[in-house]
Amino acid sequence: MRQSRCSYQAFLQIGIMAARITAIPLLATGLLLSSSSVLLSQQPAQPNANPANAKPAAAQPKPQMQDPALEQIKELMTPEEAERFRKTKLINFEELLRGGKISSAADKKLIAEGARYNLYLMTLKQDPRNPENKTDLKKLRANIIRDIRFSGRVSGNFQARELYLEELTKRAEDLFDNHRLVRFSAVVLLSSLDLRDEDRRKKIERVAFTPAYAPLLKVIASPNQPTELKITAANGLARIGEMSEASNSRRVSIVEAIIPALDRSLNEHSWYQRSLVDTLGSMGITDNLARRPVVVDALLKVMKDPKRTWRVRTAAAYNLGKLPLKANSDIKLITYSIVDLTRNMIKAYNGNNKARFWKRCFWNVYLAFKPEAAGMNNGLTQKPVNQTVVNDAYKQIIKPVNTVLQTGVTPPIAPDVTKSMDDWLKKNLPKNFRVAPVQAKPKNQQVAEGN
């Protein structure tokens, strides 16, 4: 119990610090989003590399040639077209969307035209109603989201809302070869679409719109899309994984697209790598249709890769703790790999213990085992696996974690701690470093799909 009390006290002291660490990527994303508020006012900032997190100069990816299309605005409708729709059809479109009921082919056509109008407005250089003003992408996105949220709210009929979401998802791809800010606005919109809104009074949870996954995957698969766009697309996919009603087979298809992208990302910015890792951890599955634990395999591979940054590798450990592991999961290999990662990280930390990024890395290791807050089911200690194995491994990481997460300047990890870890690693060396043998896909995949 003494160790538990020490751990508890240590994490009480670093509570504020942990909150600040968590806020860093959110702040960065916020800065990126705010850059798209006015179409021509400024470019979205490229993610700044964390100096402490940066790779050695020789390992940095070579700058790639910018696609000239990123700086070109392609107006997909004329200002005159936009004004004609606004004056003759916009009111009818908004009333139909609010009412929620689709009664005819003409209604379907009007919803499609409204989606086209609202999306293509993003490609105009000036506001067609007030040509002296530049296009405000943030305002246009906000208007679309507002109209979606009001659709069917009174009537309880969501036909128009669902059709509008489908049309927005189809039309958004038309913006993917436009100016970088237009592309970015389209991806942010796709990442924000909801089939249902949260209603705490009725205890209804928010439901993300699953079909938005398809164009988001196209962004990630494209070699011509900029990194900031791919980061946003990956975050949108993670949101779909956590908040949608996607079927198991759909989640598998997303995972099977993300894993190759993660393999290709070695020379990409670490923010993008972490976003892909977080997407895998957010899908709520461990296996493919052949019952092979491809998600666990992929995260273990990232965790063991010395060419990736410590932030990326420990993010993989954290996401392993999020997965819905089963009783037959190879928990000995998973826990051994996390302890081994921590031991290797200690060696680097002791060589440069003043770097600020270490706190985030060791915090990730802690979260691989323990939930961040009461009531959460993240962390290996919350999974239906062999808890004797989990707790044995946890005892190896908690002392170095406590050392690094204390406030102020942190000391090197003591030799007795590292010796204990070395002894443990030798004693618990896995017989096989594969999570599971390769299995053939079942002839009838429906058997493996589930719901």
Side-chain angles (χ1 to χ4, degrees):
M1 292 301 293
R2 184 176 184 275
Q3 188 180 60
S4 299
R5 287 196 296 271
C6 291
S7 303
Y8 176 72
Q9 290 167 358
F11 291 119
L12 278 180
Q13 291 175 354
I14 56 89
I16 296 176
M17 179 277 298
R20 289 174 179 169
I21 287 174
T22 304
I24 289 173
L26 298 177
L27 175 60
T29 303
L31 292 173
L32 193 60
L33 291 174
S34 66
S35 69
S36 68
S37 60
V38 178
L39 182 56
L40 296 179
S41 61
Q42 64 181 47
Q43 301 295 336
Q46 295 285 347
N48 294 321
N50 183 341
N53 223 3
K55 300 175 185 178
Q60 291 288 355
K62 295 179 180 179
Q64 297 179 348
M65 294 292 293
Q66 282 284 351
D67 182 358
L70 288 169
E71 310 305 327
Q72 297 173 2
I73 298 175
K74 301 175 184 177
E75 295 190 337
L76 298 182
M77 69 178 173
T78 65
E80 293 74 22
E81 280 184 273
E83 277 299 278
R84 187 160 55 249
F85 183 89
R86 184 183 68 81
K87 291 176 180 179
T88 61
K89 296 185 177 182
L90 184 59
I91 291 178
N92 292 335
F93 163 74
E94 290 177 341
E95 288 179 351
L96 176 61
L97 187 60
R98 279 197 300 271
K101 185 178 181 181
I102 300 295
S103 303
S104 64
D107 289 347
K108 294 180 180 179
K109 182 180 178 182
L110 184 57
I111 292 293
E113 290 175 343
R116 177 184 182 274
Y117 166 77
N118 282 323
L119 281 171
Y120 286 11
L121 278 178
M122 295 181 182
T123 70
L124 299 182
K125 296 178 182 178
Q126 277 82 32
D127 181 346
R129 191 172 185 180
N130 300 295
E132 68 277 7
N133 296 331
K134 294 176 181 178
T135 296
D136 188 334
L137 295 174
K138 185 176 180 180
K139 182 178 179 181
L140 291 176
R141 288 199 309 271
N143 289 344
I144 292 173
I145 296 298
R146 177 204 62 204
D147 290 344
I148 291 171
R149 288 176 177 169
F150 278 105
S151 180
R153 179 176 289 186
V154 175
S155 66
N157 191 322
F158 298 103
Q159 289 177 315
R161 175 173 181 157
E162 293 181 19
L163 181 59
Y164 188 42
L165 289 170
E166 291 172 7
E167 292 295 333
L168 288 172
T169 300
K170 287 191 291 186
R171 288 283 186 180
E173 292 187 46
D174 296 346
L175 278 59
F176 285 180
D177 63 349
N178 219 298
H179 190 279
R180 68 164 65 236
L181 290 179
V182 176
R183 302 182 196 196
F184 184 72
S185 196
V187 173
V188 171
L189 178 65
L190 287 168
S191 301
S192 308
L193 297 180
D194 288 328
L195 183 64
R196 295 287 182 271
D197 298 317
E198 181 185 31
D199 189 330
R200 295 183 180 180
R201 183 174 55 85
K202 296 180 180 180
K203 297 182 179 180
I204 297 175
E205 295 183 351
R206 186 183 307 277
V207 178
F209 185 61
T210 301
Y213 86 92
L216 293 176
L217 281 181
K218 289 182 179 179
V219 170
I220 288 176
S222 172
N224 299 320
Q225 296 296 1
T227 301
E228 67 267 22
L229 203 67
K230 293 188 176 188
I231 292 172
T232 307
N235 292 341
L237 288 166
R239 182 178 185 269
I240 289 172
E242 291 180 344
M243 300 173 62
S244 79
E245 297 174 340
S247 66
N248 182 69
S249 59
R250 181 66 63 222
R251 293 172 187 273
V252 168
S253 67
I254 294 173
V255 159
E256 290 179 340
I258 292 296
I259 290 175
L262 184 57
D263 289 339
R264 296 190 302 268
S265 72
L266 189 58
N267 292 323
E268 298 277 0
H269 198 286
S270 64
W271 280 13
Y272 176 48
Q273 296 179 46
R274 295 203 307 268
S275 295
L276 293 174
V277 166
D278 289 341
T279 301
L280 289 181
S282 299
M283 279 299 123
I285 61 172
T286 59
D287 301 353
N288 63 6
L289 297 182
R291 303 300 189 195
R292 184 165 175 255
V294 292
V295 179
V296 178
D297 267 334
L299 293 177
L300 285 174
K301 182 179 178 181
V302 170
M303 222 168 57
K304 297 172 185 176
D305 191 343
K307 295 181 181 179
R308 297 188 188 269
T309 66
W310 295 115
R311 285 288 301 271
V312 174
R313 295 170 69 182
T314 59
Y318 163 66
N319 279 282
L320 277 168
K322 289 175 61 178
L323 297 180
L325 299 175
K326 306 176 185 68
N328 62 350
S329 299
D330 194 344
I331 195 62
K332 289 185 177 180
L333 175 58
I334 292 171
T335 53
Y336 179 92
S337 299
I338 296 174
V339 174
D340 186 50
L341 169 68
T342 308
R343 178 62 185 95
N344 289 325
M345 194 160 60
I346 289 170
K347 183 177 179 180
Y349 165 81
N350 280 346
N352 177 23
N353 63 317
K354 294 182 180 179
R356 295 174 60 187
F357 70 93
W358 288 124
K359 291 186 185 296
R360 174 74 264 183
C361 294
F362 281 86
W363 180 242
N364 280 342
V365 170
Y366 174 78
L367 293 179
F369 288 90
K370 295 286 188 177
E372 190 166 3
M376 298 178 68
N377 64 352
N378 293 346
L380 297 177
T381 57
Q382 308 300 304
K383 307 300 176 181
V385 294
N386 189 326
Q387 287 302 310
T388 300
V389 173
V390 171
N391 289 322
D392 190 35
Y394 176 73
K395 291 175 183 177
Q396 297 303 314
I397 65 96
I398 189 59
K399 287 184 179 179
V401 166
N402 275 339
T403 298
V404 177
L405 294 186
Q406 62 184 283
T407 56
V409 179
T410 56
I413 306 299
D416 65 308
V417 174
T418 57
K419 184 180 184 305
S420 172
M421 295 182 77
D422 290 338
D423 293 342
W424 187 91
L425 289 167
K426 290 178 182 178
K427 179 181 177 182
N428 292 276
L429 187 70
K431 295 180 181 178
N432 186 353
F433 279 87
R434 293 191 64 84
V435 179
V438 177
Q439 301 175 24
K441 281 191 175 183
K443 293 181 180 180
N444 182 3
Q445 289 193 355
Q446 296 298 320
V447 174
E449 281 187 15
N451 295 320

